[in-house]
């Protein structure tokens, strides 16, 4: 990888940015086999800052070959868990030592406000520490059948894992897959999102410093339909862990089907925030604002549909719109910025198109809806609030993935649940009420993988993560992630004499039938 000492055009660019990003295969930086590259730009200027190797099937094959050799011939899968745990902790050390650098790169590349990018780097380190602790303390089960039979389980890494990640909070989401995969003893090929490849370029040196053997961690950059697709269709990759859009998840599921691969799908969302009249409105207001406008609204668990009980609707809406209008939109590198620049002009146009759709559908625009006047360039959009949104509108149904939120009144609990469930998605939901019984009742009725009662998106790493309906297939998080990257082998053995019915002997010489609990199933 070559570097430039300073950027001639962007005052907000971190120092010494790479001008060329390569694949990392078998411990070495490499260009694409055919030399192909694509440009990557930052969302403030939309000017290219680097050329990125564009991976093809040949590059994926080389990376999978290295990962496969490291799995079958290398030491990594068979290392004692505590040895792998030490390596994972050193990866976390390497991330923490580069905290400022990662946050600066992430903010520059994605447009996330720098204060929020810092949290992502810290969470990434925490992911490695968490899975280091988990793998060191994980136990495998044994089952005794009376005094005669023992069944025990050993967990084995499944092989080469393909990890495909999106552009929102890229470094954190890469760590979210890398940490459990490596902890489990898998070897990996990571395909980072093409719009935000920058922070991943730090991973090879972090891995090498931590002592990850060559071939265990491989990375192929490239376009999803090329590099990502080649990974999905490679026969030596038995597992694909994917985070991204529901439509892409559906394509990958179909393409992986002939290979019968293990799939983990973390997909899109359109999560409701249900605010009952008896809620602590001040806290609900803070949480609802943060829930949809943090991370530029480019957040899978964003509370992007706010449902408010009619008796407090006007009061809530007035306060919400006023606060949204006051949200500071600005340079991602400015510590005062609350919403930065949207990741890419194509995505920016898509989000703006939804603003037009909302207006055309007759929703009432009460905040934002346009580029802030003080930011004539870059992918900026003011915090945007649509009121009186009905469930038939597209802005109520479709994931916008930007700083745009809908607000809808409801009359009673049944209608609140009906509205909350009235989309194809089911990732997260947030419920605000001081009635504890109702809080639990509604939490059980809303179709979502994760519910937060009177709180926002805070999650212990031990808990499962994932959605239902079009928001995902299979949950990860904590031990579930280890379960995904490993197979269980169940070993059955007899402790005494096996009592086997003796076929083919005269009836007089046959043993008595075995006990029920010894019967082969
Ligand atoms: P995306 O689906 O466009 O791309 C995600 C990744 O898939 C990228 O690396 C891309 O190159 C790759 N890809 C695209 N087409 C592919 C194909 N045919 N085969 C293989 N790989 C392919 O998603 P995005 O726009 O990068 O990310 C935003 C989406 O991710 C939103 O829908 C968001 O809700 C979702 N997301 C979900 C979670 C979650 O945990 N549920 C977390 C973050 C983001």
């Amino acid at each position: 990888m070559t570097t430039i000492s300073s950027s001639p055009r962007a005052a907000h660019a971190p120092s010494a940015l790479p001008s060329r990003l390569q694949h990392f295969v078998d411990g070495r930086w490499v260009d694409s086999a055919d030399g192909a590259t694509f440009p990557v730009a930052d969302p403030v200027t939309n000017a290219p800052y680097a050329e990125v190797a564009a991976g093809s099937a040949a590059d994926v094959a080389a990376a999978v070959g290295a990962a496969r050799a490291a799995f079958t011939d290398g030491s990594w899968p068979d290392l004692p868990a505590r040895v792998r745990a030490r390596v994972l902790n050193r990866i976390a050390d390497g991330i923490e030592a580069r905290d400022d650098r990662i946050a600066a790169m992430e903010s520059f590349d994605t447009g996330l406000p720098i204060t929020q990018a810092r949290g992502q780097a810290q969470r990434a380190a925490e992911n490695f520490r968490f899975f280091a602790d988990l793998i060191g303390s994980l136990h495998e089960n044994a089952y005794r059948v009376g005094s005669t039979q023992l069944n025990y389980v050993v967990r084995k890494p499944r092989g080469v894992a393909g990890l495909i990640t999106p552009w929102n909070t890229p470094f954190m989401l890469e760590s979210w897959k890398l940490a459990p995969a490596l902890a489990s003893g898998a070897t990996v090929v990571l395909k980072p999102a093409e719009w935000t490849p920058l922070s991943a370029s730090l991973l090879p040196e972090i891995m090498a410093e931590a002592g990850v053997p060559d071939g265990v961690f491989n990375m192929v950059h490239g376009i999803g339909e090329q590099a990502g697709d080649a990974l999905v269709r490679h026969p030596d990759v038995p597992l694909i862990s994917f985070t991204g859009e529901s439509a892409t998840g559906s394509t990958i599921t179909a393409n992986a089907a002939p290979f019968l691969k293990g799939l983990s799908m973390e997909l899109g969302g359109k999560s409701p925030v249900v605010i009952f009249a008896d809620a602590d409105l001040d806290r609900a207001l803070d949480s609802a604002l943060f829930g949809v406008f943090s991370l530029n609204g480019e957040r899978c668990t964003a509370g992007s549909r706010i449902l408010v009980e009619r008796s407090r609707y006007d009061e809530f809406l007035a306060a919400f719109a006023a606060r949204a209008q006051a949200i500071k939109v600005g340079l991602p590198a400015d510590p005062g910025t609350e919403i930065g620049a949207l990741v890419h002009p194509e995505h920016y146009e898509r989000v703006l198109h939804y603003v037009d759709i909302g207006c055309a559908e007759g929703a009432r625009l009460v905040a934002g809806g346009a580029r802030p006047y003080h930011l004539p360039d870059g992918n900026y959009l003011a915090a945007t609030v649509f009121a009186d949104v009905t469930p038939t509108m597209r802005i109520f149904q479709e994931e916008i993935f930007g700083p745009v939120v809908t607000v809808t009144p409801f009359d009673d609990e049944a209608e609140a649940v009906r509205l909350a469930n009235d989309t194809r998605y089911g990732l997260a939901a947030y419920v605000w009420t001081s009635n504890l019984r109702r809080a639990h009742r509604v939490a059980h009725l809303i179709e979502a993988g994760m519910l937060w009662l009177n709180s926002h998106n805070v999650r212990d790493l031990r808990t499962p993560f994932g959605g239902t309906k079009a928001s995902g297939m299979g949950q990860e998080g904590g031990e579930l992630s280890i379960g995904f990257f490993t197979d269980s082998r169940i070993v059955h053995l007899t402790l005494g004499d096996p009592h086997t019915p003796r076929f083919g002997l005269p009836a007089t010489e046959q043993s008595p039938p075995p006990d029920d609990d010894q019967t082969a199933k």
Side-chain angles (χ1 to χ4, degrees):
M1 222 173 29
T2 55
T3 58
I4 52 175
S5 52
S6 66
S7 164
R9 67 201 143 65
H12 62 285
S15 61
L17 272 186
S19 54
R20 183 168 149 238
L21 300 177
Q22 295 172 290
H23 311 305
F24 187 74
V25 175
D26 207 11
R28 285 188 305 278
W29 293 103
V30 289
D31 287 323
S32 293
D34 61 4
T37 62
F38 64 94
V40 61
D42 80 87
V44 167
T45 62
N46 289 318
Y49 69 85
E51 281 294 315
V52 187
S56 65
D59 304 301
V60 168
V64 173
R68 176 93 191 129
F71 188 79
T72 53
D73 309 333
S75 59
W76 187 253
D78 296 321
L79 285 177
R82 67 191 161 73
V83 178
R84 281 203 304 271
R86 256 186 252 137
V87 175
L88 262 69
N89 269 316
R90 288 199 294 266
I91 295 174
D93 294 342
I95 293 173
E96 281 167 357
R98 293 166 177 80
D99 189 12
D100 286 347
R101 178 80 175 149
I102 293 169
M105 281 184 158
E106 194 81 325
S107 173
F108 172 75
D109 204 20
T110 65
L112 283 186
I114 183 68
T115 48
Q116 298 168 34
R118 282 214 180 89
Q120 300 304 312
Q122 283 154 11
R123 184 71 164 185
E126 200 48 46
N127 279 333
F128 282 98
R129 293 217 190 281
F130 170 78
F131 282 104
D133 289 346
L134 183 63
I135 200 73
S137 60
L138 210 63
H139 61 273
E140 289 154 326
N141 288 326
Y143 307 87
R144 195 162 54 82
V145 185
S147 58
T148 56
Q149 177 106 8
L150 185 66
N151 310 328
Y152 66 87
V153 179
V154 280
R155 299 213 69 94
K156 299 274 219 181
R158 288 183 67 179
V160 179
L163 313 178
I164 303 179
T165 50
W167 48 258
N168 70 316
T169 62
F171 195 83
M172 198 285 287
L173 286 173
E174 287 150 13
S175 75
W176 168 243
K177 296 185 187 305
L178 285 168
L182 295 178
S184 302
T187 60
V188 305
V189 178
L190 170 69
K191 210 300 279 171
E194 54 266 47
W195 285 351
T196 55
L198 183 57
S199 53
S201 66
L202 294 176
L203 283 168
E205 68 184 37
I206 293 172
M207 298 283 171
E209 271 174 33
V212 176
D214 289 351
V216 169
F217 166 77
N218 304 276
M219 177 167 73
V220 177
H221 288 291
I223 307 303
E225 291 77 3
Q226 296 158 16
D229 185 59
L231 195 52
V232 168
R233 294 178 197 266
H234 199 294
D236 287 340
V237 179
L239 291 175
I240 296 288
S241 176
F242 169 77
T243 300
E245 283 184 26
S246 299
T248 315
S250 167
T251 303
I252 290 178
T253 303
N255 293 343
F259 303 93
L260 298 173
K261 297 195 180 205
L263 296 177
S264 169
M265 293 278 150
E266 303 286 2
L267 308 176
K270 189 76 180 179
S271 301
V273 182
V274 184
I275 302 174
F276 286 96
D278 62 0
D280 178 335
L281 220 58
D282 288 340
R283 297 215 186 283
L285 184 67
D286 287 342
S287 174
L289 283 159
F290 181 80
V292 71
F293 294 126
S294 58
L295 307 179
N296 298 344
E298 298 163 329
R299 175 182 206 139
C300 56
T301 51
S304 51
R305 290 182 300 138
I306 301 179
L307 312 173
V308 189
E309 194 159 355
R310 198 175 297 277
S311 59
R312 317 256 342 238
Y313 182 74
D314 290 340
E315 177 191 358
F316 177 86
L317 186 63
F320 190 85
R323 289 272 296 275
Q325 282 159 10
I327 287 178
K328 294 172 206 68
V329 184
L331 256 190
D334 180 343
T337 291
E338 292 169 319
I339 293 180
L342 302 195
V343 66
H344 192 275
E346 205 177 300
H347 180 60
Y348 182 57
E349 285 307 318
R350 187 175 166 275
V351 174
L352 287 180
H353 184 52
Y354 272 109
V355 175
D356 291 343
I357 290 173
C359 294
E361 286 176 319
R364 184 158 57 101
L365 186 64
V366 295
R371 166 193 294 285
Y373 69 92
H374 66 288
L375 295 163
D377 302 311
N379 311 326
Y380 292 106
L381 175 63
T384 297
V385 184
F386 280 109
D388 310 340
V389 176
T390 62
T392 53
M393 295 182 184
R394 283 182 62 189
I395 57 168
F396 186 95
Q397 293 292 338
E398 297 174 22
E399 186 183 41
I400 299 174
F401 218 57
V404 180
V405 67
T406 67
V407 192
T408 304
F410 66 84
D411 287 312
D412 56 24
E413 187 178 311
E415 188 183 16
V417 171
R418 207 166 44 247
L419 287 169
N421 290 341
D422 193 0
T423 72
R424 63 195 284 253
Y425 295 105
L427 189 56
Y430 309 84
V431 178
W432 290 84
T433 173
S434 56
N435 179 336
L436 199 59
R437 281 196 293 178
R438 173 159 62 194
H440 287 281
R441 197 165 53 231
V442 171
H444 292 211
L445 290 172
I446 292 182
E447 295 158 357
M450 297 171 287
L451 276 296
W452 277 271
L453 303 181
N454 297 323
S455 59
H456 65 87
N457 193 344
V458 173
R459 174 180 160 266
D460 186 285
L461 287 174
R462 288 168 295 187
T463 58
F465 183 99
T468 59
K469 295 159 71 176
S471 288
M473 276 194 314
Q475 290 193 314
E476 291 192 40
E479 290 191 19
L480 292 181
S481 295
I482 303 294
F484 176 72
F485 289 106
T486 56
D487 265 337
S488 48
R489 302 272 162 85
I490 299 98
V491 181
H492 304 264
L493 71 132
T494 301
L495 297 172
D497 283 339
H499 291 288
T500 313
R502 304 181 74 200
F503 281 15
L505 290 179
T508 50
E509 289 182 38
Q510 283 189 355
S511 335
D515 296 346
D516 277 347
D517 60 0
Q518 291 179 335
T519 305
K521 292 266 174 16

